[in-house]
Amino acid sequence: MQKYIELLDQTELNILQEMIQNGELKEYQKLYSILEQAKEKIIKLKDYNVVDVINCLSKEYIEQARQFVDEQKCPGISTGIQNYKGPEINVYYGKTSGLENAKEIDETVRFDSASVTKMYTALQYIYRSYFLQYKHSLDNVKISEINPEFQQKTTLRELLTFYHIFQTDGKLELVCSNEGEAISLLKNAKIMKSHTFYYSDIPYMIASLLEPDFKTYFKEIFEKLIGLNQTGYVVKPDDVITGGSMNELNLVHDSKARILPYAGHAGIYTTSHDSLKLFNWFCEIQDSYFFYSNLATPYFSNSNHLFSRFVPDGFVPDGTGKMCYQTTIQEINGEKVIRYEPIWVKKAMGVYCKHPLGLDKTDVLPYQGKYAFAADGFTGCWCNYDIENQMSANIFTNPLSGSEDGKKPQGYIWMLDGLKEKSIETLIELKYAQIVFETYYGASKDFQKRYIK
């Protein structure tokens, strides 16, 4: 037993040091607390088999995912967690909608992932620029040189990192009745302000229209190369889908994506298992550091090198080291007043990046890797990728599919935070247990399996 305890202590120290280094952590009390709690569990599991260990450590995570449905926050849920070369655990629970004839959630059900689509659009351009010798640079070529019909003076990287605020002549979903009208509106979108990092759908819709082969490369990269056979814009007649409004499950929820197919900003359907396939591909590709660091870094310096350190407290710098400010209107004692607030860096190339305040500002936990990133969608989904620490988690829910008016419960955006935290905590515990058991007893194929709950 003494050797087992010593192994536990050394493994805890190794994981702690590794995650501190990977995340450049200055504060790690929460991480230490997670590891200490895990150690208490793993001590008691010494004589258990691997499957029982995995079941024990994932029990609370599984129960919390199911509880989300039992509390009627949404009709159904699909989740996935995995450490690289560790067990994959999927939870499928509930139904595809609030209708009486709704189907049960299982691994075949595809979720409307809404703005998670932006991550795939950014990945597509990054992959082509690095692996396919894409003829247009992300940094040195204006999009007007890629497609002269788009006159905006911006680069692809600026486009995909929300560097500008764009304005169209009217809201696309209100003034356009067909794809042609929408494209015309986007071609003439004006840049109103720069260096804002203001989240918007417009730049990603523009990105999807710059080249005629956008659809072709999406299929080549994500379907054929990576093997995401349940991920894409196209919904086949026999597909079981969820995520959109209850009475319109066969339609993508985003109104702009209904007008503009392959819209770049929304419209992709996917599954929790496919999202983990993408994670495994991240971990396996050559030069993956270049790939995920490009995706998850929100700001680049004028010389196009990674601006890897934010100014103090995670604010947007203006290029000279000073903070950028934005105007906000606040109501104080019944009177509207203008206030100037610094801009937080929380969005990178279509994804959330790490931020010191964690889930208060972003969708990445503060003790995750420096380049950890996450994507979320209005329809109730979240995908988190921490390639440095080799762990990934996702949650797909369908609150809109249980609502007759197509609206989510008030405050839904924060309701998933507890399950997000539990997902990452469970991954850390499983990593801890796998290292200990495989060191003490030898490698086990049961740590490489997929478990469906």
Side-chain angles (χ1 to χ4, degrees), residues 107-340:
E107 63 181 315
T108 68
V109 176
R110 301 174 65 206
F111 282 73
D112 181 340
S113 64
S115 284
V116 173
T117 302
K118 293 182 177 69
M119 177 183 72
Y120 286 91
T121 300
L123 286 172
Q124 182 171 330
Y125 274 107
I126 294 172
Y127 183 89
R128 290 186 65 190
S129 71
Y130 191 72
F131 292 105
L132 299 182
Q133 297 181 332
Y134 183 46
K135 61 182 179 180
H136 300 300
S137 167
L138 292 175
D139 299 292
N140 300 324
V141 176
K142 302 296 184 183
I143 64 172
S144 57
E145 296 177 55
I146 300 173
N147 188 334
E149 294 182 13
F150 290 83
Q151 295 300 309
Q152 296 91 348
K153 302 301 180 183
T154 180
T155 64
L156 277 169
R157 192 182 303 279
E158 289 173 349
L159 191 71
L160 298 171
T161 51
F162 309 106
Y163 186 83
H164 307 288
I165 292 178
F166 291 86
Q167 184 174 306
T168 55
D169 189 12
K171 289 189 174 182
L172 184 147
E173 65 271 32
L174 297 180
V175 302
C176 299
S177 59
N178 57 58
E179 182 179 0
E181 291 177 357
I183 293 173
S184 178
L185 207 66
L186 292 166
K187 285 179 179 178
N188 294 292
K190 295 180 175 60
I191 294 175
M192 306 304 293
K193 191 176 180 181
S194 298
H195 211 101
T196 62
F197 298 91
Y198 182 81
Y199 183 76
S200 170
D201 291 333
I202 294 176
Y204 276 79
M205 287 188 281
I206 292 175
S208 71
L209 296 168
L210 291 178
E211 295 187 307
D213 57 3
F214 181 85
K215 298 178 184 179
T216 301
Y217 274 103
F218 180 91
K219 293 179 180 179
E220 289 289 330
I221 295 170
F222 298 109
E223 295 180 22
K224 295 182 180 180
L225 176 68
I226 305 178
L228 307 186
N229 52 26
Q230 290 182 294
T231 300
Y233 291 88
V234 178
V235 174
K236 299 175 183 178
D238 58 344
D239 285 344
V240 181
I241 59 175
T242 188
S245 298
M246 182 168 65
N247 297 317
E248 296 181 315
L249 285 180
N250 63 326
L251 294 175
V252 63
H253 179 73
D254 188 280
S255 55
K256 297 183 292 299
R258 294 184 184 185
I259 300 171
L260 193 67
Y262 281 81
H265 76 291
I268 282 182
Y269 288 84
T270 190
T271 67
S272 58
H273 182 51
D274 257 17
S275 298
L276 291 178
K277 282 186 184 179
L278 181 63
F279 159 68
N280 280 280
W281 177 77
F282 275 129
C283 293
E284 292 166 1
I285 58 174
Q286 183 181 7
D287 296 331
S288 59
Y289 171 80
F290 170 87
F291 208 73
Y292 67 76
S293 63
N294 267 266
L295 183 71
T297 303
Y299 184 78
F300 277 67
S301 68
N302 293 332
S303 59
N304 295 322
H305 292 298
L306 285 173
F307 191 90
S308 58
R309 296 184 181 276
F310 305 141
V311 292
D313 299 323
F315 296 109
V316 175
D318 65 359
T320 66
K322 298 180 180 179
M323 295 181 185
C324 286
Y325 289 85
Q326 61 185 350
T327 57
T328 62
I329 298 177
Q330 300 178 5
E331 189 168 313
I332 301 177
N333 296 326
E335 181 181 356
K336 292 183 178 180
V337 296
I338 295 176
R339 289 287 185 267
Y340 298 92

Side-chain angles (χ1 to χ4, degrees), residues 349-365:
M349 199 172 289
V351 297
Y352 281 100
C353 59
K354 183 178 172 179
H355 189 280
L357 296 182
L359 296 181
D360 288 342
K361 285 292 179 182
T362 183
D363 260 329
V364 178
L365 279 299

Side-chain angles (χ1 to χ4, degrees), residues 5-17:
I5 298 295
E6 290 175 358
L7 175 59
L8 278 168
D9 290 339
Q10 187 59 52
T11 302
E12 178 183 19
L13 179 61
N14 291 345
I15 293 175
L16 184 64
Q17 290 178 335

